[in-house]
Amino acid sequence: MPKVSVVIPAYNEEEAIGKTLEEIHDTLRDTDISYEIIVVDNNSTDKTGEIARSLGAKVVVERKQGYGNAYKCGLKQAKGEIIVTGDADGTYPFNKIPYFLEILERENLDFINTNRFGKLEDGSMSSLHKFGNTVLSLWFNILFSGKIKDSQSGMWIFRREIIDRLNFEIMDGGMPFSQEIKAYVCHLGYRVKEIPIEYRKRIGE
């Protein structure tokens, strides 16, 4: 059984998926961390799936469109003790996986959320998106008594036991899935921490 499952939803990301997967391999291949990469092809019409397979990823296809639907599919396939998620567009720092794992174990955490506002690369997020994220995170913390600055972040590191307690049937199939999973872990009393990360400008459109 792999120690880590990296789950990545993807829709028409042929420009970025190769660099994203190579970053993961370059980071983990010479460590003692066993891992698998699961790419969820969410009806791509380009070569996303083909490129991912050529770079050793397990590619699963989710025909039902939507960010949340892609994650539901990918998380069900994950075999690792620890799950790492992130987008296929080059924005998230997968080279920090060992660092995240070290914090998860050292501080005995269950779930790590990443805060993209820690270091935003120029052009990585519009002013409108920054404002929207701030408002959504504020309401999230009011509703769920959380202390999260970036409720919309798509990079999470968590123990697989959490998957078994999620009710995928009632969770949103679109973008709100990202906020819902954080609401669940806060509500269920898991040990949660947020870590600032570098957030890069996306590759491709």
Side-chain angles (χ1 to χ4, degrees):
M1 177 185 292
K3 179 178 176 62
V4 175
S5 293
V6 184
V7 180
I8 303 173
Y11 173 69
N12 288 347
E13 296 287 1
E14 66 178 5
E15 292 185 52
I17 190 66
K19 292 181 179 178
T20 299
L21 299 190
E22 286 168 358
E23 179 177 348
I24 297 169
H25 286 311
D26 289 345
T27 299
L28 298 179
R29 69 161 57 95
D30 293 326
T31 71
D32 60 357
I33 301 169
S34 59
Y35 67 99
E36 65 175 356
I37 302 174
I38 299 171
V39 172
V40 185
D41 187 344
N42 200 199
N43 293 320
S44 295
T45 56
D46 61 7
K47 296 181 179 179
T48 296
E50 180 182 333
I51 294 170
R53 286 188 190 92
S54 73
L55 290 171
K58 176 181 180 180
V59 177
V60 294
V61 177
E62 174 52 64
R63 296 297 182 193
K64 195 172 183 181
Q65 204 72 34
Y67 182 81
N69 291 324
Y71 264 126
K72 292 178 192 182
C73 175
L75 292 175
K76 289 176 182 177
Q77 298 286 328
K79 305 297 183 185
E81 300 169 30
I82 296 170
I83 315 298
V84 177
T85 69
D87 294 348
D89 57 9
T91 51
Y92 287 101
F94 285 104
N95 60 342
K96 295 295 185 182
I97 289 177
Y99 168 69
F100 297 143
L101 298 181
E102 193 275 330
I103 292 178
L104 192 79
E105 297 297 343
R106 174 165 48 86
E107 300 189 23
N108 194 28
L109 301 171
D110 299 309
F111 188 98
I112 291 175
N113 186 51
T114 59
N115 176 10
R116 296 168 297 171
F117 300 104
K119 186 179 180 182
L120 285 174
E121 185 177 285
D122 289 344
S124 62
M125 189 182 297
S126 69
S127 297
L128 182 60
H129 281 141
K130 291 178 188 176
F131 175 76
N133 274 282
T134 300
V135 172
L136 289 170
S137 295
L138 174 63
W139 277 108
F140 176 91
N141 291 324
I142 292 172
L143 291 172
F144 301 104
S145 301
K147 296 180 180 179
I148 288 177
K149 295 180 180 178
D150 189 359
S151 66
Q152 307 305 305
S153 174
M155 178 170 255
W156 329 308
I157 303 87
F158 60 96
R159 301 186 188 277
R160 72 158 295 106
E161 66 184 62
I162 290 176
I163 296 176
D164 298 329
R165 296 191 67 185
L166 295 177
N167 187 345
F168 285 146
E169 298 305 316
I170 65 171
M171 294 181 73
D172 197 276
M175 293 303 295
F177 182 89
S178 177
Q179 194 158 350
E180 283 188 11
I181 193 170
K182 299 170 188 107
Y184 268 101
V185 295
C186 288
H187 175 70
L188 294 172
Y190 283 109
R191 295 178 293 271
V192 180
K193 181 171 184 173
E194 189 172 62
I195 297 175
I197 58 167
E198 173 191 15
Y199 188 68
R200 311 160 182 162
K201 186 176 179 180
R202 69 167 287 125
I203 300 170
E205 296 182 11

